[in-house]
Amino acid sequence: MIFRRVFAAITLGLLLPLNLAADPAVLDTLPAPEGEVILTVAGQGLGAGAEDWEAPFDLAMLEALPGRVTTTATPWHDGVNEFSGPLASALLDSLGADGATLRLIAINEYFADIPTEQLRDYPVIIATRINGEPISARNNGPLFLIYPLDEFPELFNEETFSRSVWQITRAEILY
Ligand SMILES: Nc1nc2c(c(=O)[nH]1)N[C@H]1C(S)=C(S)[C@@H](COP(=O)(O)O)O[C@H]1N2
Ligand SMILES: [Mo]
């Protein structure tokens, strides 16, 4: 039994790097959205014959990913609030995507390019909720990239603010 598990782990370890360009085998494992699509993630197909891909997410799919609660003040909210949502790194992992840059695009076509390394170094979330409630459009929802500003004071700078995209509607993985 244990041997089989070790074998499975080794096999997975060998196969995963091949999937890192979000190949269709990974995309096929994603559930289909049942609710309104609020985020579309797109990437280039890498390798011979690989096609570009798009992965649609509804709220339930995003909230099913590994996430966290980030309690912080921000320049855009009164006081300290609890933001929750999937880790940006978990979104990338769910797609087997290892691009160098995550481009987040807002409804108003504003976009920011974020090094994926930073999303591995810090628990940055794509917030779907503020104080447990969905973020309304009036409050720049439904998706707002939230850095853990209060936990990591070094993040409190203009570069981070410019990456704090609100009303995110699309993400692109750039290699
Ligand atoms: N959707 C969206 N998010 C955005 C922006 C934007 O124009 N649209 N501007 C970014 C930039 S460049 C900064 S510095 C901050 C600006 O926040 P402020 O307009 O409240 O100063 O939000 C960031 N997030
Ligand atoms: Mo900015």
Side-chain angles (χ1 to χ4, degrees):
M1 216 41 160
I2 183 81
F3 292 112
R4 197 186 286 178
R5 230 175 262 173
V6 169
F7 178 74
I10 291 171
T11 309
L12 249 184
L14 291 174
L15 288 177
L16 275 178
L18 300 177
N19 287 335
L20 283 179
D23 94 5
V26 174
L27 298 176
D28 285 349
T29 66
L30 289 175
E34 285 171 17
E36 186 195 345
V37 172
I38 57 174
L39 178 69
T40 301
V41 186
Q44 274 172 272
L46 298 185
E51 293 184 8
D52 294 351
W53 52 271
E54 281 195 346
F57 287 83
D58 64 17
L59 182 64
M61 290 166 71
L62 290 173
E63 292 189 337
L65 294 170
R68 89 189 298 254
V69 178
T70 295
T71 304
T72 190
T74 82
W76 311 280
H77 301 89
D78 289 336
V80 171
N81 294 276
E82 274 187 7
F83 300 91
S84 58
L87 289 159
S89 60
L91 179 70
L92 294 173
D93 289 346
S94 78
L95 297 164
D98 76 338
T101 303
L102 181 67
R103 172 170 292 179
L104 294 179
I105 304 166
I107 294 167
N108 67 349
E109 294 186 0
Y110 175 84
F111 71 86
D113 287 342
I114 302 168
T116 53
E117 196 179 20
Q118 185 185 44
L119 303 174
R120 310 238 172 245
D121 290 346
Y122 295 98
V124 181
I125 59 171
I126 301 172
T128 57
R129 289 173 190 266
I130 179 168
N131 303 321
E133 298 291 329
I135 310 173
S136 66
R138 202 155 48 90
N139 278 324
N140 289 331
L143 301 176
F144 200 137
L145 194 75
I146 293 289
Y147 281 80
L149 296 168
D150 283 3
E151 290 158 80
F152 301 94
E154 71 271 23
L155 289 173
F156 204 89
N157 58 54
E158 195 57 39
E159 183 179 65
T160 301
F161 302 155
S162 71
R163 291 175 178 171
S164 299
V165 182
W166 59 79
Q167 296 192 316
I168 302 163
T169 181
R170 184 178 171 85
E172 293 175 358
I173 292 156
L174 309 178
Y175 298 91

